[in-house]
Amino acid sequence: MAARNTAYLLVGLLALLHTWGVTAHVAVEMEDRVEVFRGETASITCMFTSSEGVGGIMIQWFFVTQTGEKQRVFYQDPTGTVVDEGTPFTDRISVNGTGATGAIVVTISNVQLDDELEFICLVKGLTAGTAEGRTKLKVFVLPDFPTIEGVQTGISINDGPSKIGTCEVTNGFPWPNITWYRNNAPLRGSSDVLQVLPSTTVESSGLFSVKSELIMKVIKEDKDDLFYCEVNFFVPGGLRMTETPHINITVYYPSTAVNVWVESPKGNIKEGDSIELQCRDNGNKPSSILTISDETGENTIDGNVLVLHNVNRLNSGVYKCGSLDMDTYEEISGNTTVFVNYLEPAVVMPNDSVVVTQGKELTATCNALSSLQTQIVWLKDGKAVSMGNSLILKDATFDSAGQYVCVVTVPEIVGMKTSGTLHVEVQGPPEITKPDDTEVEESFGTTVDLTCNVRGFPTPSVTWTTSDGKILPPASQIESWGKVDSVVSIKVTSDITAFCNASNDFGTDALTYNIAAKGNGFIIAVIIVCILLLAILGSVLYFLYKKGKICGRSGKQDLTKEKSSKDNIVVEMKSDNTEEAVLLGVNGEKQPPSHQGGAYLNVQK
């Protein structure tokens, strides 16, 4: 009741002011539009001014329905605020501010597509009249990433306008825009050779899906073109763009030329190589058939690759590649020339082996027929000894003997070479290689190895002998290429002189070794000392016997059965060279064998 009385008081005051003729007004300012993404919170601000002040201001918020009608959602006057029930915003709207500052903000949470409406802020003063402002709420949804799909089959240049591909972007709001591009240039307009057919679908969610189909008449140059779509769509505060992947289409067109070439090996071809020929026409038509063949027709294949293994000079010639259009039976062709380089086996003269007399000269030649320039080098023991096709050996020696290899190469082609061999024998008397020292000193009883290296042709015979004419068997003897390596083993028991004797049809040669036995005089001295010790021992025994210290005269064996007047003791001495026994008396007298009547001591060595 008090509020109603207050309202009547305000109305009366308004009438009184109007009667006095005082002029009053109200002004409202709002943004044209507020933009948000779906699901976000939108804030709509209403700014107002009044000449009466804000004490008696009444504020109402409306939205305009799809049919154009206004529906209130909020009311505010000096007595309070009311959120209208039964509207789409009843549970999602809130108001910030009381209007005392000349501004009031309506906030809508969880904005949806249906919220894209026009909102009205109506401000009414007591006497200043009424003013309103309007703001459109715009809602945006980002679309899915666009897709592009090109035609899977080829397109002939003889066909009319054909479908190139389709671009599609889904679930955007508001609807996105699609633009076709070819090689970074936009395709627009509609003509007999180019058409862009767009279509838009409204999904059950209220979102938009846009599809665009490109139809175009293709030409040969389109075979390398790249097609893609650009998609533009609005977002709060601006415009965004994204692109699809780029695609290429298959264009069918007839051939106008054929190219055939040797794919491998690169560069010059030599006998023994494997050749790969490839063929390609400048058209692109499934009905075209390629065939590669040589002049004879023996090597023919349906396809664009021909491989020949282990080629020779007979494979040289012109190779043709033909392209036949099975639709029109028109054929075009191209060709290339193949040349197989060759290098025949080397021919060495004299052939195989040759014998040259020591001190004479030998000339040998080496040649090999080739399709290219050759280079010749002579090798001996892996080292180059001559360049060119001629080998000249002047004043031949045994060092000149051996195997010579003639190597013929073609510098222009790596690995192209041939070779021949020549075995040279130098005939002459034996030559023994003198060792550093022929005077050998070895310990008594040891074994020494003596070597003898001999050269000569015909191969010399080698024998070992000693100074006393004894023939020594070799421990080892190796013969090769007019050389003899002989070794003899000798046990040192005394000073020895050994000879290596070499001989062939042209002469002889000899080598002398002198071997000195270390420790031989010492052994002789030891033997003499032992003999002297034995003599002394015999004298001592005799003395003891004489004194009766060893055997008494009454011993078991009677040694005095027959005495002599001189008590002779007979010592029997035997020599290795005679069986005659010599009996010596004590006084050194020689006794005949019959005089053995007395006792005697038999001492034998």
Side-chain angles (χ1 to χ4, degrees):
M1 188 66 180
R4 182 176 299 177
N5 291 334
T6 302
Y8 289 156
L9 179 61
L10 290 174
V11 171
L13 180 59
L14 179 61
L16 179 61
L17 291 174
H18 180 70
T19 303
W20 289 348
V22 178
T23 303
H25 68 277
V26 176
V28 176
E29 292 185 4
M30 296 182 66
E31 295 179 287
D32 290 337
R33 57 196 293 158
V34 172
E35 300 177 344
V36 294
F37 282 113
R38 183 180 62 176
E40 294 183 346
T41 298
S43 296
I44 304 174
T45 302
C46 178
M47 306 287 295
F48 62 90
T49 60
S50 174
S51 58
E52 300 173 342
V54 297
I57 294 297
M58 179 178 61
I59 302 172
Q60 299 181 82
W61 282 91
F62 300 87
F63 70 91
V64 180
T65 65
Q66 298 295 335
T67 61
E69 298 177 357
K70 293 195 301 183
Q71 183 174 353
R72 196 177 72 177
V73 295
F74 178 80
Y75 172 82
Q76 175 180 323
D77 62 17
T79 62
T81 61
V82 176
V83 176
D84 293 284
E85 298 292 335
T87 72
F89 305 100
T90 301
D91 298 328
R92 296 185 291 128
I93 193 171
S94 62
V95 179
N96 296 326
T98 62
T101 59
I104 188 167
V105 180
V106 169
T107 302
I108 303 172
S109 63
N110 191 22
V111 174
Q112 299 299 311
L113 296 181
D114 293 337
D115 297 340
E116 187 169 283
L117 300 169
E118 186 176 40
F119 289 83
I120 301 172
C121 175
L122 179 65
V123 179
K124 186 177 181 180
L126 293 176
T127 61
T130 302
E132 69 176 30
R134 293 173 179 254
T135 296
K136 291 182 179 180
L137 179 60
K138 304 296 293 184
V139 183
F140 298 88
V141 177
L142 292 176
D144 298 332
F145 193 82
T147 61
I148 185 171
E149 183 179 359
V151 293
Q152 302 301 312
T153 59
I155 305 172
S156 173
I157 63 174
N158 297 323
D159 297 339
S162 304
K163 179 180 177 181
I164 302 300
T166 301
C167 283
E168 185 176 13
V169 58
T170 60
N171 300 321
F173 192 89
W175 59 79
N177 182 61
I178 297 177
T179 303
W180 278 92
Y181 278 78
R182 176 177 60 187
N183 298 332
N184 300 322
L187 298 173
R188 293 189 178 93
S190 178
S191 64
D192 294 339
V193 296
L194 176 65
Q195 294 181 15
V196 177
L197 303 178
S199 61
T200 303
T201 301
V202 180
E203 306 293 344
S204 59
S205 60
L207 301 176
F208 295 100
S209 295
V210 180
K211 184 180 295 185
S212 180
E213 187 175 286
L214 176 63
I215 298 176
M216 188 180 72
K217 178 174 175 58
V218 298
I219 59 177
K220 178 181 177 181
E221 288 71 19
D222 292 330
K223 64 184 178 64
D224 299 320
D225 290 343
L226 295 176
F227 296 86
Y228 65 96
C229 289
E230 178 185 277
V231 178
N232 295 278
F233 51 92
F234 289 99
V235 295
L239 184 68
R240 289 187 187 178
M241 182 272 292
T242 185
E243 293 180 355
T244 66
H246 296 196
I247 63 169
N248 180 256
I249 61 173
T250 302
V251 179
Y252 292 145
Y253 51 92
S255 302
T256 58
V258 176
N259 183 29
V260 58
W261 70 95
V262 177
E263 177 64 21
S264 68
K266 302 296 184 183
N268 291 321
I269 303 171
K270 67 179 184 297
E271 289 187 322
D273 285 344
S274 292
I275 302 177
E276 179 180 322
L277 291 104
Q278 291 192 8
C279 174
R280 181 181 301 157
D281 57 16
N282 65 348
N284 183 26
K285 204 170 184 181
S287 59
S288 296
I289 297 178
L290 294 175
T291 302
I292 305 178
S293 63
D294 60 7
E295 294 175 303
T296 64
E298 294 181 1
N299 296 304
T300 302
I301 188 170
D302 291 334
N304 68 327
V305 178
L306 173 63
V307 179
L308 303 175
H309 297 286
N310 195 24
V311 297
N312 56 50
R313 67 195 74 179
L314 298 179
N315 294 116
S316 299
V318 177
Y319 286 78
K320 172 186 173 183
C321 177
S323 175
L324 176 64
D325 189 337
M326 298 303 294
D327 292 336
T328 62
Y329 292 100
E330 293 180 359
E331 182 178 12
I332 57 175
S333 63
N335 58 66
T336 187
T337 299
V338 173
F339 184 78
V340 180
N341 292 283
Y342 58 88
L343 176 63
E344 294 188 352
V347 177
V348 178
M349 297 297 295
N351 191 18
D352 295 334
S353 62
V354 63
V355 178
V356 60
T357 303
Q358 191 176 26
K360 299 297 182 179
E361 181 178 302
L362 170 66
T363 299
T365 61
C366 176
N367 292 284
L369 185 62
S370 174
S371 58
L372 296 172
Q373 187 70 31
T374 59
Q375 179 178 303
I376 301 176
V377 60
W378 289 87
L379 304 177
K380 182 174 185 289
D381 299 328
K383 297 181 180 180
V385 295
S386 180
M387 300 294 295
N389 70 321
S390 295
L391 172 67
I392 301 176
L393 302 179
K394 296 182 178 180
D395 192 17
T397 64
F398 288 136
D399 291 331
S400 305
Q403 182 167 283
Y404 291 81
V405 180
C406 162
V407 179
V408 183
T409 58
V410 177
E412 293 184 42
I413 303 179
V414 177
M416 191 174 183
K417 67 179 181 179
T418 185
S419 62
T421 59
L422 174 66
H423 184 72
V424 176
E425 294 285 6
V426 178
Q427 62 183 7
E431 288 184 0
I432 299 178
T433 303
K434 300 299 188 290
D436 295 336
D437 190 6
T438 57
E439 301 295 326
V440 181
E441 185 176 358
E442 291 292 336
S443 300
F444 184 85
T446 61
T447 299
V448 62
D449 291 335
L450 306 179
T451 60
C452 186
N453 301 317
V454 188
R455 294 187 299 176
F457 190 81
T459 303
S461 61
V462 177
T463 58
W464 290 87
T465 59
T466 60
S467 55
D468 58 0
K470 183 179 179 181
I471 298 177
L472 302 174
S476 68
Q477 189 158 299
I478 301 174
E479 299 181 4
S480 63
W481 303 112
K483 295 182 180 179
V484 179
D485 296 323
S486 183
V487 178
V488 69
S489 298
I490 299 176
K491 186 174 183 179
V492 180
T493 58
S494 63
D495 294 344
I496 302 172
T497 300
F499 304 97
C500 172
N501 306 292
S503 64
N504 65 5
D505 295 341
F506 292 89
T508 61
D509 197 4
L511 175 65
T512 302
Y513 282 98
N514 292 315
I515 305 172
K518 292 190 299 182
N520 191 18
F522 173 77
I523 294 175
I524 294 174
V526 170
I527 294 175
I528 294 173
V529 170
C530 291
I531 293 174
L532 291 176
L533 290 175
L534 288 174
I536 293 171
L537 178 61
S539 300
V540 171
L541 292 174
Y542 172 74
F543 177 78
L544 294 174
Y545 173 77
K546 192 69 175 175
K547 293 294 184 179
K549 299 294 184 179
I550 297 178
C551 294
R553 298 185 181 274
S554 60
K556 292 181 181 180
Q557 186 177 4
D558 189 2
L559 299 178
T560 58
K561 290 181 179 180
E562 187 176 343
K563 275 187 184 177
S564 65
S565 59
K566 295 182 178 180
D567 294 329
N568 292 333
I569 296 177
V570 180
V571 178
E572 182 180 2
M573 303 293 293
K574 289 187 179 181
S575 171
D576 290 338
N577 297 328
T578 176
E579 295 180 357
E580 179 182 1
V582 178
L583 300 179
L584 296 178
V586 215
N587 298 323
E589 297 179 353
K590 184 176 181 180
Q591 299 292 333
S594 57
H595 292 178
Q596 300 179 8
Y600 69 94
L601 180 64
N602 186 5
V603 180
Q604 293 184 342
K605 185 180 178 180

